[in-house]
Amino acid sequence: MEIIGERINGMFKDIREAITNQDKKPVQDWAIKQTENGATWLDVCVGPTAGDPAAAMRWLVNTVQEVVDTPLSLDSTNYDVIEEGLKLCKRPALINSCHADRYKIERVFPMAVKYNAKVIALAMSEESGIPKTADARVALAMELVAAADEFGLPLQDLYLDPLILPVNVAQDHAIEAMETLRQVKMLSDPPPKTTVGLSNVSQRCNNRKLLNRTMIAMLMASGLDSAIADANDDDLMETAAAARIIMNKEIYCDSFVELYKTNHYK
Amino acid sequence: MPVQILKERNSGKITCVTLGATAEQGGTRACTITVGGESSLPWLHFEGETPNKPVVAVEVLDRYPEEWNDAVKAAYGDAMKDAATWAKAAVECGGADLIYLRLQSADPELGASTPEQCVATVKKVLATVGVPVAVIGCGIDEVDNKVIPAVAEACAGENLLLGLATTENYNTIVAAAMVHKHTVIAQSPLDINMCKQLNILITEMGIPADRIIVDPSIGGLGYGLEYAYSVGERARIGSLQGDKMLALPVIGTVGFEAWKAKEANVGADEFPGWGDQAERGILWETVTAASLLQSGLDILVMRHPEAIALVKKNVADLMAPSSL
């Protein structure tokens, strides 16, 4: 289970201020904290308010890479901003993200191949928005799989995201996302990888951590390989470690929780 | 239509472990032996590396093994009456890459040798042969916890392979190995979960993973070989997928298990359908070893020189690069 640590994001006040003041400490503290707790990737997102998002992305990438060698997930809707980050990444990065719209695929997939990066691809398009049914999501996933093949992006480097919505306002979506994960794994051989923005499921809900960790176990059973999530939620990390054991993805030992955090899975 | 060769892309590999130390390294061995390093399933040279071939350790006792089969005893004759002479014969005529010295006489019922006597035996073996040496206790924890630390201290710098560290008893032996720079054997009872956990416990003491060899307690042909086979296979697959706590070279006491089998020991007079006993015994040991070579064994602890010769031929054949 690859956990993509979500915390270095300009949506959070401390990170937003850090970017504005060019104050490395909060960013580097979170980079270390998430890495030590088992994050496989670190998501970096400049947030909505940065005046020069490309410069902010360059600063974030360099700042994080000064203290950890955890690979980065570059999070932006602006692909030029992502490309600025890709140029600086010391290790192959993850592009977060690409919709199933043709013009976006044509911009992102060749860029991923050029920089040896992986891509989070969303089962949604401008036309469809987030489809409600699993069938409609799988249809978009198929477009993305075919495009990966077309542009020479290895299927293991494609991270399909079935999209999950808050369970309080879109309760009927979670089960469709799970069904999507199951079907996505049958689209190709080798199958694409899968990911979700896990914390979405509990937006504005009560008991968020409980919802998040229950969701990750259910999604893992459906075929989830990674999640953008709170790497410093110990209960969540322990649930992911336990789910890996129960699914026989990892050989059991008594120290399975500690081992999960030090192994930076995968 | 061309056929494409399917190659697994593995992310992990087995840790390399070196045994013995030469003069430059603070020891007195003529050579060192490195095992491990494999980055594919056994012998799949077309998709990974097998930088070090499996080696044979010959089992030598510090007492005359009355109870051993005559076929094995005949191979070494009177040399078996002294550990150092036996070790010399094992290297010169038996094909030993290293010596697996079992200090059985420390057992109160088998001689009650003192730690000082055991140290003297080990020293004599080290003075007689140039190959790396493994030193194993008699199997009684209280005794081994005195003998092995004494050996570790007296032979500091030799990088012996010390055993056996088990879940119930690993602290003393691992600490002795750590202080005096030796390697340890971590033995678990045919249980991959305990094997992994023991490796974690041992590394948590501060000894690096490249100073551990795993002994999964194999079973011999006809007596649990398939359990050992599948444990070895599962460990190798896990290792290749990145499980560092299982990615250690494996040792198997092939001779001990094979020569325990009834089939290796009873004469043709008793079971005419089984044929000649000596030949059968040698093949029992050979087939046990050859099978486990396919599940990823790195060090084979063996007894009969003819079985060793057959296994070495098998290893040489398997090491030949595949044309794929």
Side-chain angles (χ1 to χ4, degrees):
Chain A
M1 189 65 190
E2 302 172 20
I3 297 292
I4 306 164
E6 68 185 6
R7 193 53 179 74
I8 303 174
N9 188 319
M11 299 280 274
F12 290 102
K13 188 159 169 275
D14 59 344
I15 301 297
R16 187 163 61 240
E17 288 176 1
I19 296 172
T20 311
N21 306 328
Q22 304 274 290
D23 174 11
K24 289 178 176 177
K25 193 166 183 306
V27 172
Q28 293 182 336
D29 284 354
W30 277 113
I32 292 166
K33 255 169 83 170
Q34 294 183 100
T35 298
E36 283 179 350
N37 220 45
T40 315
W41 302 87
L42 296 177
D43 196 68
V44 289
C45 176
V46 299
T49 55
D52 181 352
M57 178 62 90
R58 286 195 296 268
W59 181 79
L60 272 183
V61 168
N62 285 331
T63 302
V64 172
Q65 289 189 143
E66 277 176 18
V67 289
V68 293
D69 61 2
T70 315
L72 301 178
S73 156
L74 306 178
D75 186 350
S76 177
T77 51
N78 182 333
Y79 299 131
D80 296 332
V81 169
I82 287 184
E83 186 151 16
E84 286 300 301
L86 284 174
K87 287 177 189 166
L88 298 172
C89 283
K90 291 177 189 162
R91 300 184 63 190
L94 184 59
I95 297 171
N96 181 14
S97 57
C98 180
H99 291 57
D101 296 292
R102 185 67 196 178
Y103 76 97
K104 292 187 178 177
I105 291 170
E106 285 173 354
R107 170 76 178 93
V108 174
F109 283 27
M111 177 166 74
V113 171
K114 180 178 173 189
Y115 292 98
N116 192 23
K118 302 165 196 283
V119 179
I120 295 178
L122 311 178
M124 67 179 290
S125 67
E126 281 169 353
E127 188 192 332
S128 66
I130 296 180
K132 185 180 164 288
T133 65
D135 283 351
R137 290 176 207 221
V138 172
L140 292 173
M142 189 65 224
E143 301 274 350
L144 291 157
V145 165
D149 195 44
E150 179 187 344
F151 289 101
L153 179 71
L155 282 162
Q156 301 97 310
D157 290 350
L158 186 69
Y159 286 57
L160 281 174
D161 183 345
L163 296 158
I164 52 178
L165 291 170
V167 76
N168 57 347
V169 295
Q171 208 172 349
D172 47 353
H173 273 257
I175 196 84
E176 300 291 335
M178 283 180 241
E179 182 55 27
T180 306
L181 287 174
R182 273 190 282 271
Q183 293 194 25
V184 157
K185 285 295 182 187
M186 291 186 279
L187 287 180
S188 60
D189 184 16
K193 286 198 176 177
T194 54
T195 193
V196 293
L198 186 73
S199 309
N200 266 347
V201 76
S202 62
Q203 289 286 354
R204 295 176 187 277
C205 292
N206 209 0
N207 244 329
R208 290 198 66 178
K209 287 183 168 186
L210 173 63
L211 286 166
N212 291 347
R213 67 177 181 264
T214 305
M215 189 69 181
I216 203 170
M218 297 174 81
L219 291 169
M220 284 173 80
S222 307
L224 186 68
D225 299 308
S226 69
I228 306 169
D230 178 359
N232 290 89
D233 178 347
D234 286 330
D235 292 337
L236 176 80
M237 299 302 277
E238 288 174 17
T239 304
R244 271 182 66 81
I245 294 289
I246 290 169
M247 293 179 70
N248 196 19
K249 298 265 188 198
E250 166 85 23
I251 294 169
Y252 174 84
C253 67
D254 291 345
S255 306
F256 71 90
V257 170
E258 294 81 354
L259 202 63
Y260 177 80
K261 289 184 180 177
T262 55
N263 261 352
H264 294 238
Y265 279 98
K266 253 177 201 116
Chain B
M1 214 174 97
V3 175
Q4 199 195 345
I5 303 304
L6 292 179
K7 295 179 183 176
E8 199 66 47
R9 285 193 297 178
N10 299 310
S11 60
K13 65 173 186 174
I14 308 295
T15 303
C16 281
V17 177
T18 298
L19 306 171
T22 59
E24 302 94 80
Q25 296 155 333
T28 62
R29 302 300 81 207
C31 63
T32 62
I33 284 177
T34 299
V35 288
E38 302 95 329
S39 58
S40 71
L41 288 176
W43 317 114
L44 302 190
H45 303 297
F46 61 91
E47 64 178 34
E49 304 283 319
T50 305
N52 303 296
K53 67 175 185 203
V55 295
V56 172
V58 170
E59 191 178 349
V60 169
L61 307 187
D62 64 344
R63 55 173 274 277
Y64 186 76
E66 296 287 354
E67 67 283 10
W68 281 24
N69 189 282
D70 287 341
V72 184
K73 285 189 284 187
Y76 291 110
D78 283 345
M80 291 173 111
K81 288 178 176 156
D82 171 71
T85 319
W86 185 354
K88 188 166 187 276
V91 172
E92 287 172 3
C93 324
D97 299 306
L98 64 153
I99 295 298
Y100 186 91
L101 176 62
R102 212 190 270 273
L103 298 170
Q104 242 179 18
S105 75
D107 186 328
E109 291 181 9
L110 295 173
S113 297
T114 61
E116 293 70 32
Q117 287 170 311
C118 290
V119 166
T121 304
V122 176
K123 286 271 192 191
K124 200 172 160 202
V125 170
L126 287 169
T128 312
V129 298
V131 298
V133 175
V135 180
I136 315 303
C138 66
I140 299 167
D141 289 349
E142 310 83 80
V143 177
D144 291 350
N145 286 345
K146 292 193 179 73
V147 169
I148 299 297
V151 169
E153 187 179 356
C155 306
E158 289 285 7
N159 190 12
L160 301 173
L161 179 56
L162 297 175
L164 299 166
T166 64
T167 305
E168 292 75 33
N169 189 52
Y170 65 91
N171 273 305
T172 309
I173 289 169
V174 172
M178 237 165 79
V179 173
H180 303 293
K181 301 205 166 38
H182 300 293
T183 302
V184 290
I185 300 178
Q187 191 193 50
S188 47
L190 212 51
D191 180 324
I192 197 164
N193 308 131
M194 288 177 74
C195 171
K196 184 170 171 179
Q197 186 66 21
L198 180 58
N199 297 340
I200 292 171
L201 294 171
I202 291 177
T203 47
E204 275 174 357
M205 285 183 70
I207 201 165
D210 67 0
R211 295 199 100 95
I212 304 173
I213 300 275
V214 160
D215 179 352
S217 310
I218 61 151
L221 176 63
Y223 296 86
L225 175 71
E226 61 274 37
Y227 294 100
Y229 187 96
S230 59
V231 163
E233 192 177 43
R234 182 78 182 89
R236 174 65 69 89
I237 292 169
S239 306
L240 296 177
Q241 289 169 350
D243 193 334
K244 293 191 179 64
M245 279 302 124
L246 281 170
L248 301 168
V250 184
I251 190 170
T253 47
V254 170
F256 176 81
E257 295 295 334
W259 287 100
K260 220 162 62 174
K262 181 180 180 183
E263 290 83 346
N265 290 297
V266 294
D269 47 341
E270 208 178 325
F271 283 86
W274 289 359
D276 177 62
Q277 179 269 325
E279 187 186 7
R280 188 178 349 111
I282 289 163
L283 288 178
W284 215 263
E285 184 174 14
T286 307
V287 173
T288 300
S291 307
L292 292 168
L293 280 174
Q294 297 295 335
S295 83
L297 219 55
D298 296 281
I299 305 176
L300 306 118
V301 184
M302 298 186 64
R303 288 183 179 174
H304 202 291
E306 284 183 46
I308 292 169
L310 286 168
V311 166
K312 290 208 152 185
K313 167 82 169 60
N314 186 214
V315 168
D317 289 346
L318 289 166
M319 283 300 287
S322 40
S323 58
L324 301 173

